[in-house]
């Protein structure tokens, strides 16, 4: 029985895991809660708790067993559910905090660190359930530990719901205020989307879309460290060769996600959904997307050339990853969360990286303005304007964009806020001082764009 | 009962790749293969080489008849590795198959 692999191949795999932080970032089980409706909100809460704890009871055990057998770390086991605005729609009570608490208890019971789906899709307008959910977001994020919330306020086909955008600016401020003792941590669990994907396994934006099956397993891979090492080993190659090297690396990383996803789905007897082939950085040294861009030849991320470098990286990751998996979905691209990426933090603190440049970068990568801490005295109108800009990029370019921004009460530019763990450390970044209040307060919808005449 | 069992087809092999990396010294193969033999693990192939200045041994083993779970075997190998000063990993073969072969 000959060894089917060369020693170099075997050692490459082991090096990726042990020295370059290759891991499966998350196995996320999507669970439909559409059968949990009732007019009595207490009954809904009980049904939600019962269903989640039953469907996901083996999720963590199976994840850990696979991790051990294959020798690949699986960092997070998580759950996404049907948007709660839909599940709670039929309740007589509008206080969805009760539902958030049921999700939180269920997450703790099955041992997952985050549960996503305290969500609403309002790109064209609000239903009663959407309004109730919006009114419950800030309180729910403050009074639960593991619940994540997301809302979709815009899409290419519907335009931008500016009423929802403005309301989200206010809700982000309220959430920051209610969680100010923890550095406005609640805002790190709240994402505002344009063109939100329904099968994203990554928090805080994960929810179980209405086109999804009863239950599903989605997997998010990671591996900035592996790509960084491959780029560093080839400092003088031209762009074609560089793209090829990144593609090869992304292929290998994504294959791990495909293997783990299929195995988890088989063991849990749940359909396998998608692999999300994102480059998700962590605060760990060497696990940084910024470092990759700098290894490509930029003195500091944020300088001229950063958008081009990121475009090449993002596209090569997608091309390599798409070949490696039968089903690719979710966000799939390079993430640029500031507080979760040591290289991004450094670039902000050394004056190289601004919100404006980050906004430009989001035109060519997934997902958006992510984990950006801003001064606590930033107005709800300014935050809404930031969301509107980002949604406009997504709407016009037919891509997902998102905003996860944290106005930290009492903090000013130059200071830092600690979130801890994977959420990292956020340097407070300056925002523009001129007001957009009159614009934001016009109300209504920005119409959907024409999809021909592309320029 | 035993006869009935014997007539059953052989269970499929469950192949695991054991890798040993460290400074070369006397007794590495003996130490690792001793543990494998004691647990009923069949060694299908061994190769050894020097990669980036480190002694690297790669074994393909079949754990279909292993007396303990893969997880327990991993712990036994880890302890042995610490004893003789090398790093030992045991991983399901599919990891390498998925990453390096289509």
């Amino acid at each position: 029985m000959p060894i089917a692999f060369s020693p170099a191949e075997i050692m490459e795999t082991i090096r990726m895991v042990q020295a370059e932080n290759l891991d499966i970032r998350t196995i996320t089980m999507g669970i439909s809660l559409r059968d949990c409706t009732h007019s009595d909100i207490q009954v809904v809460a009980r049904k939600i708790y019962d269903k989640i704890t039953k469907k996901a009871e083996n999720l963590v055990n199976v994840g850990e067993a696979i991790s051990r057998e294959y020798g690949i770390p699986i960092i997070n086991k998580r759950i996404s559910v049907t948007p709660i605005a839909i599940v709670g729609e039929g309740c007589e009570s509008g206080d969805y905090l009760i539902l958030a608490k049921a999700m939180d208890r269920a997450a703790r019971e099955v041992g997952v660190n985050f549960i996503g789906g305290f969500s609403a899709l309002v790109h064209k307008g609000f239903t009663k359930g959407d309004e109730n959910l919006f009114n419950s977001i800030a309180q729910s994020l403050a009074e639960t530990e593991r619940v994540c919330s997301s809302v979709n306020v815009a899409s290419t086909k519907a335009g931008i719901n500016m009423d929802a955008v403005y309301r989200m600016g206010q809700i982000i401020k309220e959430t920051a205020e209610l969680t100010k003792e923890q550095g406005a941590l609640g805002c790190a669990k709240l994402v505002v989307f344009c063109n939100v994907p329904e099968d994203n396994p990554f928090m805080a934006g994960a929810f179980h879309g209405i086109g999804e099956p009863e239950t599903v397993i989605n997997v998010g891979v990671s591996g900035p460290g592996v790509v960084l090492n491959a780029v560093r080993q080839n400092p003088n190659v031209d762009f074609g060769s560089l793209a090829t090297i990144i593609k090869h690396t992304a292929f290998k990383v994504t294959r791990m996600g495909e293997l783990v996803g299929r195995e988890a789905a088989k063991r849990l007897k749940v359909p396998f959904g998608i692999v999300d082939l994102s480059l998700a950085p962590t605060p760990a040294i060497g696990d940084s997307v910024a470092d990759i861009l700098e290894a490509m030849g930029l003195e500091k991320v944020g300088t001229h050339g950063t958008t081009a470098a990121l475009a090449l990286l993002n596209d090569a990751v997608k091309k390599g990853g798409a070949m490696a998996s039968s089903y690719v979905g979710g966000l799939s691209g390079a993430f640029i969360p500031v507080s979760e990426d040591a290289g991004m933090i450094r670039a902000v603190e050394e004056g190289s990286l601004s919100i404006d440049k980050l906004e430009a970068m989001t035109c060519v990568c997934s997902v958006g303005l992510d984990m950006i801490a801003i001064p606590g005295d930033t107005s709800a109108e300014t935050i809404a304007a930031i969301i509107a800009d980002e949604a406009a990029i997504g709407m016009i370019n037919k891509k997902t964009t998102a905003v996860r921004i944290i106005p930290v009460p009492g903090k000013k530019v130059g200071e830092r806020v600690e979130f801890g763990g994977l959420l990292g450390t956020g340097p407070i970044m300056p925002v523009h001082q001129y007001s957009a209040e009159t614009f934001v307060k016009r109300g209504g919808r920005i119409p959907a764009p024409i999809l021909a005449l592309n320029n | 009962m035993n006869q009935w069992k014997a007539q059953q087809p052989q269970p499929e092999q469950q192949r695991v790749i054991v890798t040993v990396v460290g400074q070369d010294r006397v007794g590495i193969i003996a130490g690792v293969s001793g543990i494998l033999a004691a647990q009923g693990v069949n060694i299908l192939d061994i190769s050894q080489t020097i990669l980036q200045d480190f002694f690297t041994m790669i074994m393909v083993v079949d754990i279909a008849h292993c007396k303990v779970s893969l997880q327990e075997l991993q712990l036994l190998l880890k302890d042995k590795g610490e004893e003789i000063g090398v790093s030992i990993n045991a991983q399901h073969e599919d990891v390498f198959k998925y990453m390096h072969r289509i």
Side-chain angles (χ1 to χ4, degrees):
Chain A
M1 184 62 66
I3 296 179
F5 314 99
S6 73
E9 287 173 330
I10 289 178
M11 295 319 293
E12 180 187 16
T13 303
I14 290 174
R15 189 192 68 229
M16 282 183 178
V17 172
Q18 296 188 349
E20 298 167 3
N21 300 315
L22 170 63
D23 56 50
I24 303 299
R25 183 54 49 81
T26 180
I27 299 182
T28 303
M29 180 184 253
I31 303 173
S32 167
L33 298 181
R34 278 156 66 179
D35 56 353
C36 295
T37 55
H38 196 277
S39 58
D40 181 348
I41 200 162
Q42 298 291 353
V43 176
V44 177
R46 199 189 67 229
K47 283 182 165 183
I48 287 175
Y49 177 85
D50 290 348
K51 183 154 187 189
I52 293 170
T53 50
K54 182 158 170 283
K55 293 283 183 189
E57 66 177 325
N58 293 320
L59 175 63
V60 171
N61 286 340
V62 164
E64 285 172 359
I66 292 173
S67 176
R68 280 192 302 267
E69 283 169 39
Y70 293 102
I72 304 280
I74 299 173
I75 307 300
N76 297 302
K77 276 71 71 177
R78 291 171 171 171
I79 293 170
S80 63
V81 298
T82 307
I84 291 296
I86 297 171
V87 183
E89 186 98 47
C91 298
E92 280 156 13
S93 162
D95 183 7
Y96 292 178
L97 174 61
I98 296 161
L99 306 183
K101 285 185 169 173
M103 290 166 69
D104 201 39
R105 279 198 309 278
R108 196 172 300 127
E109 173 64 27
V110 298
V112 300
N113 58 355
F114 283 122
I115 180 166
F118 199 75
S119 304
L121 310 176
V122 295
H123 35 278
K124 216 156 181 183
F126 293 86
T127 65
K128 190 186 82 181
D130 296 331
E131 301 241 11
N132 292 339
L133 185 111
F134 268 57
N135 292 334
S136 308
I137 288 176
Q139 196 77 23
S140 297
L141 291 175
E143 294 192 24
T144 60
E145 182 194 359
R146 305 177 190 211
V147 173
C148 293
S149 178
S150 57
V151 296
N152 191 58
V153 297
S155 78
T156 299
K157 294 257 168 97
I160 305 174
N161 179 348
M162 287 299 292
D163 296 328
V165 167
Y166 185 24
R167 188 77 186 95
M168 284 315 297
Q170 295 166 329
I171 289 170
I172 287 169
K173 288 286 284 180
E174 288 164 29
T175 307
E177 193 56 37
L178 288 175
T179 56
K180 65 180 175 193
E181 303 300 325
Q182 302 108 47
L185 182 65
C187 297
K189 298 182 283 181
L190 176 57
V191 194
V192 187
F193 276 103
C194 169
N195 290 327
V196 70
E198 302 204 340
D199 53 7
N200 159 31
F202 285 102
M203 295 298 167
F207 69 90
H208 187 70
I210 51 171
E212 297 285 308
E214 182 69 15
T215 49
V216 70
I217 288 290
N218 296 321
V219 169
V221 299
S222 180
V226 183
V227 175
L228 173 63
N229 193 45
V231 173
R232 277 193 180 148
Q233 283 177 355
N234 296 278
N236 298 316
V237 300
D238 72 2
F239 288 115
S241 308
L242 183 63
T244 302
I245 290 159
I246 296 169
K247 278 192 286 187
H248 284 171
T249 311
F251 177 87
K252 291 173 182 173
V253 170
T254 309
R255 289 295 283 172
M256 292 298 93
E258 177 85 357
L259 169 65
V260 167
R262 290 194 173 281
E263 192 61 29
K266 193 168 91 188
R267 293 188 193 187
L268 290 162
K269 299 186 178 66
V270 165
F272 174 51
I274 56 99
V275 176
D276 187 323
L277 42 92
S278 291
L279 281 184
T282 68
I285 297 299
D287 209 20
S288 156
V289 170
D291 286 357
I292 300 173
L293 301 176
E294 291 176 5
M296 285 165 76
L298 302 170
E299 186 182 359
K300 186 72 61 186
V301 74
T303 191
H304 303 294
T306 300
T307 311
L310 183 58
L312 183 151
L313 172 66
N314 198 53
D315 184 62
V317 165
K318 283 183 196 177
K319 284 173 177 162
M323 293 293 287
S325 171
S326 318
Y327 300 102
V328 173
L331 301 166
S332 286
F335 291 173
I336 49 170
V338 174
S339 78
E340 299 173 6
D341 186 315
M344 296 283 178
I345 295 170
R346 198 173 55 232
V348 169
E349 294 190 328
E350 291 174 12
S352 171
L353 185 60
S354 67
I355 286 193
D356 291 342
K357 188 63 182 179
L358 282 162
E359 185 184 308
M361 290 160 75
T362 66
C363 299
V364 298
C365 81
S366 75
V367 166
L369 294 173
D370 197 13
M371 291 303 288
I372 294 172
I374 57 174
D377 59 5
T378 309
S379 71
E381 289 76 17
T382 295
I383 293 171
I386 292 170
I387 295 170
D389 280 345
E390 198 56 39
I393 290 171
M395 174 180 77
I396 297 290
N397 294 301
K398 305 181 236 19
K399 74 184 287 293
T400 303
T401 51
V403 173
R404 182 162 52 148
I405 202 162
I406 303 132
V408 188
K411 294 273 185 185
K412 295 189 172 57
V413 174
E415 295 183 272
R416 281 176 158 218
V417 57
E418 290 284 342
F419 300 115
L422 278 179
L423 298 173
T425 303
I428 308 293
M429 297 182 72
V431 297
H432 287 276
Q433 293 306 307
Y434 292 105
S435 169
E437 185 172 345
T438 311
F439 176 75
V440 166
K441 283 185 169 169
R442 279 176 178 273
R445 257 189 305 138
I446 294 181
I450 191 159
L451 291 180
L453 313 179
N454 282 331
N455 272 311
Chain B
M1 187 65 190
N2 279 342
Q3 254 183 341
W4 179 82
K5 251 190 180 167
Q7 284 165 4
Q8 292 294 301
Q10 286 282 314
E12 276 184 46
Q13 286 183 347
Q14 291 179 35
R15 285 161 56 154
V16 167
I17 309 262
V18 177
T19 52
V20 182
V21 181
Q23 295 292 328
D24 196 8
R25 50 161 286 178
V26 173
I28 294 179
I29 295 187
V32 177
S33 56
I35 294 211
L36 297 174
Q39 301 305 330
V41 175
N42 188 25
I43 299 173
L44 302 169
D45 200 352
I46 300 183
S47 93
Q48 63 179 70
T49 181
I50 302 292
L51 271 182
Q52 293 161 359
D53 297 335
F54 282 105
F55 167 81
T56 306
M57 178 171 75
I58 295 166
M59 292 174 148
V60 182
V61 303
D62 175 14
I63 60 161
H65 299 287
C66 185
K67 294 171 192 164
V68 295
S69 71
L70 175 56
Q71 190 194 344
E72 286 167 280
L73 186 66
Q74 286 168 333
L75 289 176
L76 289 170
L77 289 170
K78 184 166 170 281
D79 289 346
K80 180 52 99 177
E82 279 165 15
E83 185 190 317
I84 57 181
V86 293
S87 153
I88 307 182
N89 283 288
Q91 287 161 278
H92 202 286
E93 183 196 43
D94 282 355
V95 172
F96 306 99
K97 212 187 261 176
Y98 258 75
M99 186 177 274
H100 298 290
R101 299 288 179 272
I102 304 176

